[in-house]
Amino acid sequence: MRKWFFSLAILVVTIMGSVGLTQSHAIEAASKPHYTIVTDSTYPPFEWKTSDGKYVGIDLDMLKAISKKEGFTYDLKPMSFNAAVQSVQAGQADGILAGMSITDERKESFDFGTPYYESGVVVSVAKNSKITKLSQLKGKTVAVKTGTAGYTFAQSIQKKYGFKMVSYNDSSMMYDVVSTGNASAAFEDLPVMAYAIKQGVDLKIITKPASTAWYGFGVKKGTNAALLKSFNAGYKDLVASGEYDKIVKEYLGNTGKKYAEDMKTTGSNHTFGGIIKENSSSFIDGLWMTVQMTILGIVLASIWGLLLGTMGIAPSKFVRGISTTIIYIFRGLPMLVLAFFIYIGIPNLTGQKVPAFTAGILTLVLNEGAYIGSFVRGGFLSVDGGQLEAARSLGLPYGKAMRKVIMPQGIRLTIPSFVNQFIITLKDTSILSAIGLVELTQTGTLIIARNLQGFKVWLIIGLMYVTVITLLTWLSNWVEKRMK
């Protein structure tokens, strides 16, 4: 037993060391301001991830140029648009650059820089659809992207045209549900929708742009005035020098030269082998993040669960009550809600930032630990109570009797449950993509945003999950045999 815990300790230290290395970055000169900028990385031509792992697009090329001119550095955090907005509001990020429309409602929570691109919302349907106008959407389902101008516009005309709304966190998923017939139409910004269609999405636009608005760079209201000032000054210089127009033309002129080139180099081979070869580094990085989170999460959750389980059979009613309450609360909270509470809710309350990786691990520990605590307590209670009484009658203190007699037997009884929880933890890491962790699921989302091969990419991702789960099951079974 001691060897097992010693091995786990070594494993935790090793993983934490590797996490520190992978997440560390070069120390910048003290004179340079450093910011955290969030973006929606599935929104071409404004932002997306290329096959070689770089984040590019009108917004991101503009930000890169502005940062050089203004002398500041930044960390770029890709996540869903909705999560990005909340991250800035919670103080987890300093600014958001994600094709964000400037509206009166958003002005109540954000300060915006100089508007840099004018857009409008259009409605698109499948190429073979007979729908040609909004009135034909009555009683049908439309797809919208959470938190966007398209969502707001669709909501404003929903009663008038009588359609149902279904929300998605990324554009590629929204396009897929319409092209496959699971929704009748999609509401999207004109340049983004037109661009997607030019790159092969099987949709067509049926309306003229509506709800016209400008895009803007946003910071939390009343904060980061220096960053906003730098953005405005840098943007002004880009416009004056003609560099901004050049950036826009490279992505939108001639059907989007830069995006088309990326599609040509990565999309020409849409076979399974071609997709794997072209995105191998991304798949490996996503898988490594998933494995790190799974192992670190389950180890820490096991320690926490063992503590909760032990508290759950303590002689003190108060201690047992604490254990029962903690298990009840964290088993009852959906993991996504818990992740957002830790990553966004706590910083809102305390003003202190919580790194996404830390928030993800805490989410796994609290959620998985509650389930572990529940079955560990059950394992301890299943041991004949007479054994504890016998140990006490021989003069062993309660704590020593538990460690020497009850716990070894109870833990052995729960080994199958530990194996099952290990597998569940691996799958649960996919939920944490919502707070910006680029694990295996988020990796698939980023790849699909570029190559639009949803079926093939998700099949590859699914097979990777199954393979890892199989290996973990073998490992867990080996550990189980060693501990018997």
Side-chain angles (χ1 to χ4, degrees):
M1 181 69 102
R2 290 180 180 176
K3 289 182 179 180
W4 183 62
F5 278 109
F6 181 69
S7 299
L8 285 180
I10 293 176
L11 185 60
V12 171
V13 171
T14 302
I15 292 175
M16 291 183 73
S18 65
V19 170
L21 288 174
T22 56
Q23 292 196 333
S24 64
H25 53 73
I27 299 175
E28 303 291 342
S31 59
K32 288 187 177 183
H34 188 78
Y35 303 105
T36 299
I37 309 296
V38 288
T39 187
D40 174 2
S41 56
T42 62
Y43 200 60
F46 291 92
E47 43 262 335
W48 82 91
K49 188 177 182 180
T50 64
S51 57
D52 57 1
K54 296 180 181 178
Y55 291 99
V56 299
I58 294 174
D59 286 352
L60 304 186
D61 283 13
M62 176 177 65
L63 178 63
K64 184 178 180 180
I66 289 175
S67 68
K68 286 183 178 180
K69 288 181 179 293
E70 293 298 308
F72 65 83
T73 59
Y74 60 92
D75 287 327
L76 191 68
K77 301 292 184 183
M79 58 184 67
S80 71
F81 181 80
N82 192 40
V85 170
Q86 293 182 63
S87 295
V88 176
Q89 290 176 321
Q92 286 281 63
D94 299 302
I96 176 173
L97 188 62
M100 185 176 182
S101 298
I102 301 173
T103 64
D104 291 336
E105 184 178 13
R106 287 175 178 162
K107 286 180 180 179
E108 295 177 4
S109 303
F110 290 88
D111 289 328
F112 287 97
T114 305
Y116 64 86
Y117 193 91
E118 188 177 22
S119 180
V121 177
V122 293
V123 178
S124 298
V125 298
K127 275 188 176 181
N128 59 356
S129 174
K130 296 181 180 180
I131 296 174
T132 59
K133 52 187 178 181
L134 291 174
S135 60
Q136 293 175 291
L137 293 176
K138 185 174 182 179
K140 300 184 183 299
T141 299
V142 304
V144 292
K145 189 174 179 179
T146 306
T148 62
Y151 181 98
T152 303
F153 176 63
Q155 194 174 45
S156 69
I157 64 173
Q158 183 180 15
K159 289 184 178 179
K160 179 179 179 181
Y161 292 104
F163 52 74
K164 302 174 185 177
M165 292 172 55
V166 179
S167 302
Y168 298 92
N169 282 329
D170 60 85
S171 297
S172 58
M173 179 64 73
M174 183 171 63
Y175 304 155
D176 284 342
V177 297
V178 176
S179 61
T180 58
N182 290 317
S184 298
F187 286 68
E188 180 67 282
D189 285 5
L190 173 60
V192 179
M193 190 71 258
Y195 206 62
I197 290 173
K198 289 177 181 178
Q199 307 308 325
V201 173
D202 292 330
L203 302 180
K204 60 182 179 181
I205 297 173
I206 63 169
T207 65
K208 294 181 179 180
S211 188
T212 302
W214 283 85
Y215 289 165
F217 172 70
V219 300
K220 185 178 180 180
K221 197 169 186 66
T223 66
N224 286 305
L227 172 58
L228 203 61
K229 183 178 179 181
S230 293
F231 177 87
N232 289 340
Y235 173 72
K236 183 178 180 180
D237 288 344
L238 288 183
V239 172
S241 66
E243 190 173 349
Y244 174 75
D245 288 337
K246 182 180 178 181
I247 291 173
V248 173
K249 186 176 181 181
E250 285 180 328
Y251 287 98
L252 292 178
N254 300 321
T255 70
K257 180 181 177 182
K258 276 198 172 183
Y259 187 86
E261 288 176 351
D262 188 44
M263 289 291 290
K264 183 178 180 181
T265 57
T266 64
S268 57
N269 187 353
H270 283 160
T271 63
F272 284 102
I275 292 173
I276 293 172
K277 181 179 179 181
E278 292 161 354
N279 301 282
S280 58
S281 61
S282 295
F283 283 128
I284 292 171
D285 290 343
L287 178 60
W288 175 232
M289 174 62 76
T290 295
V291 171
Q292 287 183 93
M293 295 182 66
T294 300
I295 297 178
L296 189 57
I298 197 63
V299 170
L300 296 178
S302 296
I303 296 171
W304 176 234
L306 285 170
L307 176 61
L308 290 176
T310 304
M311 292 170 60
I313 61 170
S316 169
K317 289 184 179 180
F318 178 72
V319 174
R320 293 200 304 270
I322 292 176
S323 173
T324 301
T325 301
I326 292 174
I327 290 174
Y328 177 79
I329 289 174
F330 289 106
R331 284 181 66 183
L333 275 176
M335 183 174 284
L336 185 60
V337 174
L338 181 58
F340 276 125
F341 176 77
I342 294 173
Y343 184 65
I344 294 174
I346 291 179
N348 258 322
L349 182 66
T350 64
Q352 297 295 318
K353 293 182 179 181
V354 179
F357 188 85
T358 302
I361 293 298
L362 281 175
T363 300
L364 290 174
V365 170
L366 293 174
N367 183 270
E368 311 296 342
Y371 284 96
I372 291 173
S374 181
F375 65 68
V376 165
R377 180 178 59 187
F380 292 161
L381 291 174
S382 66
V383 178
D384 187 357
Q387 295 191 42
L388 180 61
E389 294 176 6
R392 295 300 302 277
S393 66
L394 292 173
L396 288 177
Y398 174 81
K400 195 169 185 178
M402 283 294 298
R403 292 196 306 272
K404 296 291 186 178
V405 179
I406 304 301
M407 291 183 69
Q409 297 182 70
I411 290 176
R412 283 190 178 93
L413 291 171
T414 60
I415 288 176
S417 297
F418 269 105
V419 173
N420 186 56
Q421 201 65 39
F422 201 176
I423 294 172
I424 290 173
T425 302
L426 172 67
K427 293 187 289 186
D428 282 347
T429 58
S430 63
I431 297 173
L432 301 176
S433 62
I435 60 173
L437 290 170
V438 186
E439 40 63 72
L440 200 50
T441 299
Q442 179 70 351
T443 296
T445 300
L446 296 174
I447 293 172
I448 292 168
R450 182 180 67 254
N451 66 15
L452 308 174
Q453 297 297 306
F455 171 77
K456 293 178 181 178
V457 172
W458 288 128
L459 182 57
I460 293 169
I461 295 290
L463 290 173
M464 291 177 72
Y465 271 114
V466 171
T467 301
V468 175
I469 287 173
T470 300
L471 294 174
L472 289 178
T473 302
W474 290 346
L475 176 62
S476 300
N477 290 337
W478 177 80
V479 172
E480 181 180 351
K481 291 178 181 179
R482 292 292 299 270
M483 291 185 65
K484 286 184 178 179

